[in-house]
Amino acid sequence: MKNGTLECSVCHSKLVSPNSRTYSKAYDRHKIRVSSKQRALNVLLVVGDCVLVGLQPILVYMSKVDGKFNFSPLSVNFLIEAAKVLFAIVMLLFQARHQKVGEKPLLSISTFVQAARNNVLLAVPALLYAINNYLKFIMQLYFNPATVKMLSNLKVLVIAVLLKIIMRRRFSIIQWEALALLLIGISVNQLRSLPEGTTAMGLPVATGAYIYTLIFVTVPSMASVFNEYAMKSQYDTSIYLQNVFLYGYGAIFNFLAILGTVVVKGPSSFNILEGHSKATMLLIFNNAAQGILSSFFFKYADTILKKYSSTVATIFTGIASAALFGHTLTINFMLGISIVFISMHQFFSPLAKVKDEQQNGMTELRDVPEKLKSKDSFLDLAAAAHVETTRHAGEDERRPLLPT
């Protein structure tokens, strides 16, 4: 065994060790059965995500009055999570009504309790998302919508590192270079982007903004990786049932934050519907739809694709914010966007992909000679392996069981 692979003594083909597992067996089988319909679904997910993510900072900006929010960001986040829970329950009921005969009932108490135990890890990303959703509003106080979108692209690098550590994801040198290009593009866009003379929490704006940026990048990156791991490790569980747990945890954490605000500011602050407008309602609907789409990314695709699809929304956000709010599209922004798209093309280029080591843990043949790929050659391989096994078994039978 070398580098997680085993070499056949007959044909010298390489097999991946089943010990290098990162996903569940159910997800392993799913990846083998990826069809054209699944690829079409991925395309629809990317398009939908681009639109929703692009609209999100614009709607947040429209929700501000005189540069401030008349509503509590915690109340908006709670309503978003409640809307997602309601959607997940409706879809779960719909799925349960169309179950096939013999399938385990989704609505039984035993199924729900067992799924709750198996998916308890979803509480971790739910807590991290609750923190991140609050930070989204804070970031809008210091950056314009296009800048916020570009800053969020920093998450791709952090996510890549976390995927390598937690899920044993492998990236080629070209892909790491593409991620470095992404950072360069973001840095180019960020030149002279901070307004001068303003403050944040008593700190100079540069210090306050960079602290928020560090948390804004790290927290959701950890949430995304943990979410993908939790979703795929229980792949046989219905995605809508998993969403009930994920969004339920999120609603609980946001409601606890609201109660904490009430303790600090008094009972008068416990008005969840105070200060909302049409723009706020659109924001709630947009963020709820965005969260639902994200769950499909984490379950059926991966986090890197999700973040790169969000990057595509940057150009839409920049143009829309310039058209609606008069924000200037500087040369730095245009150069940054160009570098980001070059990075994206380089990362997903076929030349950049790592040789498939079957990270999902499935034991498959790799580097098999061309003659062994036909049906007859496969039978020859099986026969040779049987002869080799028989020979070793015969030798073992002749050996005494006890030392002499």
Side-chain angles (χ1 to χ4, degrees):
M1 178 173 169
K2 183 178 181 181
N3 296 327
T5 60
L6 301 173
E7 184 173 347
C8 178
S9 60
V10 178
C11 63
H12 300 289
S13 59
K14 296 180 180 179
L15 301 94
V16 180
S17 171
N19 293 328
S20 57
R21 303 186 59 82
T22 52
Y23 303 139
S24 66
K25 293 181 179 179
Y27 180 65
D28 295 337
R29 295 193 298 269
H30 165 75
K31 292 192 70 174
I32 302 301
R33 299 195 301 264
V34 172
S35 63
S36 58
K37 291 183 179 180
Q38 181 64 41
R39 295 188 182 95
L41 174 62
N42 289 343
V43 172
L44 292 177
L45 288 175
V46 170
V47 173
D49 187 65
C50 290
V51 175
L52 295 174
V53 172
L55 285 174
Q56 194 267 341
I58 296 175
L59 292 174
V60 171
Y61 186 84
M62 292 174 62
S63 301
K64 291 190 293 185
V65 178
D66 297 330
K68 298 180 180 179
F69 299 115
N70 288 337
F71 57 87
S72 169
L74 293 174
S75 67
V76 171
N77 293 334
F78 173 75
L79 292 175
I80 290 172
E81 296 302 320
K84 291 190 289 187
V85 169
L86 180 61
F87 175 83
I89 292 175
V90 171
M91 294 305 298
L92 184 62
L93 293 174
F94 179 81
Q95 185 182 27
R97 291 186 59 182
H98 293 79
Q99 277 189 290
K100 298 178 180 179
V101 178
E103 290 183 343
K104 190 175 182 179
L106 291 173
L107 302 181
S108 67
I109 297 178
S110 60
T111 300
F112 185 86
V113 172
Q114 184 64 38
R117 292 175 179 174
N118 294 339
N119 291 273
V120 69
L121 183 60
L122 288 172
V124 176
L127 175 60
L128 295 174
Y129 280 134
I131 299 173
N132 174 66
N133 291 336
Y134 178 76
L135 290 176
K136 286 182 180 179
F137 293 96
I138 299 299
M139 293 293 291
Q140 292 289 334
L141 297 176
Y142 306 107
F143 303 99
N144 61 52
T147 303
V148 171
K149 194 74 229 69
M150 287 296 296
L151 275 175
S152 66
N153 294 333
L154 279 167
K155 301 172 189 175
V156 177
L157 180 61
V158 180
I159 285 172
V161 175
L162 291 175
L163 285 174
K164 184 175 180 61
I165 296 174
I166 298 175
M167 302 183 70
R168 308 298 183 185
R169 178 81 178 269
R170 297 177 67 251
F171 299 100
S172 66
I173 295 178
I174 296 178
Q175 288 176 320
W176 284 114
E177 291 173 348
L179 295 176
L181 273 181
L182 179 62
L183 286 179
I184 294 173
I186 296 171
S187 300
V188 169
N189 178 69
Q190 282 300 295
L191 294 177
R192 299 181 63 182
S193 64
L194 293 174
E196 298 180 358
T198 56
T199 59
M201 297 175 60
L203 301 174
V205 68
T207 304
Y210 285 129
I211 291 175
Y212 282 131
T213 300
L214 178 62
I215 302 175
F216 180 70
V217 169
T218 305
V219 170
S221 300
M222 295 175 62
S224 297
V225 175
F226 277 112
N227 197 1
E228 180 179 347
Y229 182 83
M231 284 279 189
K232 288 176 178 174
S233 64
Q234 299 296 326
Y235 194 84
D236 285 330
T237 305
S238 167
I239 185 173
Y240 302 115
L241 187 55
Q242 287 180 311
N243 283 344
V244 168
F245 300 131
L246 176 64
Y247 305 144
Y249 287 133
I252 291 173
F253 290 136
N254 280 283
F255 187 74
L256 291 176
I258 293 175
L259 293 180
T261 304
V262 171
V263 173
V264 175
K265 296 183 178 181
S268 59
S269 61
F270 188 73
N271 193 343
I272 298 178
L273 301 178
E274 181 181 359
H276 295 296
S277 61
K278 292 182 179 179
T280 310
M281 293 297 105
L282 290 175
L283 177 65
I284 292 173
F285 174 80
N286 178 82
N287 282 18
Q290 190 180 144
I292 293 168
L293 270 183
S294 297
S295 66
F296 282 87
F297 269 103
F298 298 136
K299 181 93 170 182
Y300 302 112
D302 60 49
T303 310
I304 292 291
L305 178 62
K306 168 68 176 70
K307 293 307 174 185
Y308 262 112
S309 73
S310 300
T311 305
V312 178
T314 303
I315 190 169
F316 171 77
T317 305
I319 295 174
S321 62
L324 295 175
F325 313 121
H327 293 153
T328 304
L329 295 180
T330 64
I331 186 64
N332 291 340
F333 176 78
M334 301 306 296
L335 288 175
I337 285 293
S338 301
I339 297 174
V340 165
F341 274 89
I342 292 173
S343 165
M344 184 187 306
H345 177 269
Q346 180 175 337
F347 187 90
F348 290 105
S349 171
L351 297 177
K353 293 182 179 180
V354 183
K355 289 184 179 181
D356 190 9
E357 295 288 338
Q358 290 298 327
Q359 303 167 63
N360 55 13
M362 290 294 290
T363 304
E364 294 186 356
L365 288 175
R366 183 170 59 86
D367 298 334
V368 181
E370 194 68 29
K371 64 179 181 178
L372 293 179
K373 294 183 179 180
S374 64
K375 181 177 180 180
D376 294 338
S377 298
F378 177 80
L379 294 176
D380 293 341
L381 172 63
H386 176 70
V387 171
E388 183 73 7
T389 303
T390 304
R391 183 175 65 83
H392 286 299
E395 294 176 356
D396 292 339
E397 289 174 357
R398 289 192 295 268
R399 294 172 184 172
L401 298 178
L402 299 175
T404 57

